[in-house]
Amino acid sequence: MSEAWIIDAARTPRGIGKAGKGALWEIHPQQLGSTVLKALAKRNNLNTAEVGDVIWGTSSQVGPQGGDLGRMSALDAGFDVRSSGITIDRFCGSGISAVNFAASCIMSGMEDLVIAGGTEMMSFTGRRGAAPVMDQGNMRLRLHHPQTHQGVCADAIATLENISREALDEVGYQSQQKAEVAIKEGRFKKSIVPVYKEDGTLALDHDEYPRPQTTREGLAQLKAAFPALADAPLDEQGTTYRSLILQAYPDLKIDFKHHAGNSSGVVDGSGAVLLASPGYAKSQGWKPRARVVAMANMGDSPELMLNAPVPAARKVLEKAGLKKEDIDLWEINEAFAVVAEKFMRDLELDRSKVNVNGGSIALGHPIGATGAILIGTVVDELERTNKRYGLVTMCAAGGMAPAIIVERM
């Protein structure tokens, strides 16, 4: 079996994901995706006719984000028409899964050169606060697996795990502080690619979402975001997000603790990773930055949705033949503070190794792109700190989590 080498990674800045407010909202999703594809092609003198596939993650595949965004972004980037493309959906886990699928193609010997990544324009999709019930009206499925809103799940988990509002706010505060240091020290400059408008003027060249002025006192004053949403009727029968989770946990009295300051940011963004077989990389004179050590997928409770990262991390460690002490850097997506907090508690991690440059609370979470962005981030940081192993995982709707371990080369 061949190894899969990571040659390069690129991402756009993350723009505030609100129509009329963020810097990227008028950029077409295909053009946002093509921005990172063009960068990878130019930086590596890529013969795009030899790209076996462009595997792309996009969670909301409707409107401008529909129609196989991976293929269309590659065409918009000027790739040779012989370079194929496909778009996948594992909700928030789409970006990691795209990279894992690309690595699998190379490790199996079926392909020698693959680009994997993702795009999500949340200013278009408006997913946060108005996400549909995941079963899409399938009453048979709802009877067996009542699936609620992700924010309500976050508060339910925090209640069940007895994790305090103060602990969750501290995760949010630390995310902002670490992101501020990373930005000031230029830790993201290696990967960030500026986005330009159609007329050639600059749209955005830096992450737009961070709030470095955040204080613990300010976070403590924010009102919980999800009580009203939990009780809003979803249909004529009076179904609510709260009633759905109470089907699975009838005695649960949810203590609402999450708000805008300890939940992931709504943003627009795209990211991609260039992977190659050792033979192809050597033929191009490329120096690999990292190799894929192991990959895993894990399902958990769809009713709680957000709890699969811990078992996914344990599974990928076992596949790699590594222990948690071997991992130098951990990236656990901060979909909500409770995800990161529970992850660190359950695995008893050294917190100084987790999300060292901040996470999605500070930087934002462009759903289908985030996983690929995090893989690029961990490779950058392994190089900066001369460390060896990084593990990336994240929760996904439906109660899932993909995971990957990479080794700096």
Side-chain angles (χ1 to χ4, degrees), residues 132-300:
V133 175
M134 292 302 166
D135 58 39
Q136 296 291 315
N138 181 351
M139 295 299 106
R140 182 174 61 187
L141 175 58
R142 188 176 297 180
L143 179 65
H144 296 289
H145 292 294
Q147 298 174 71
T148 188
H149 186 275
Q150 59 266 36
V152 178
C153 286
D155 285 324
I157 293 167
T159 303
L160 290 165
E161 297 286 334
N162 196 29
I163 297 175
S164 69
R165 163 74 182 258
E166 291 74 20
L168 300 176
D169 283 355
E170 185 64 20
V171 172
Y173 175 75
Q174 292 297 334
S175 184
Q176 296 286 356
Q177 298 307 302
K178 290 185 284 188
E180 181 184 21
V181 172
I183 291 167
K184 285 183 175 179
E185 294 185 358
R187 298 183 189 178
F188 300 136
K189 285 185 176 180
K190 193 174 215 176
S191 291
I192 286 185
V193 178
V195 180
Y196 292 92
K197 300 178 183 178
E198 279 290 294
D199 62 5
T201 60
L202 179 68
L204 189 64
D205 63 359
H206 64 279
D207 288 315
E208 193 177 26
Y209 190 80
R211 300 179 178 91
Q213 71 276 16
T214 298
T215 64
R216 293 184 176 94
E217 294 74 20
L219 290 173
Q221 293 174 9
L222 295 176
K223 292 183 179 179
F226 301 110
L229 181 68
D231 294 319
L234 300 172
D235 53 33
E236 294 179 355
Q237 289 72 43
T239 304
T240 65
Y241 286 124
R242 187 195 295 268
S243 70
L244 286 170
I245 202 162
L246 290 180
Q247 288 183 47
Y249 296 88
D251 298 324
L252 180 63
K253 295 181 179 179
I254 303 173
D255 186 2
F256 292 93
K257 306 175 184 183
H258 285 87
H259 49 76
N262 60 24
S263 304
S264 58
V266 177
V267 297
D268 300 330
S270 186
V273 180
L274 175 64
L275 301 100
S277 66
Y280 188 88
K282 291 173 183 176
S283 74
Q284 302 301 305
W286 290 338
K287 181 180 179 181
R289 299 180 60 191
R291 73 177 184 96
V292 176
V293 177
M295 302 165 285
N297 297 296
M298 180 61 73
D300 202 88

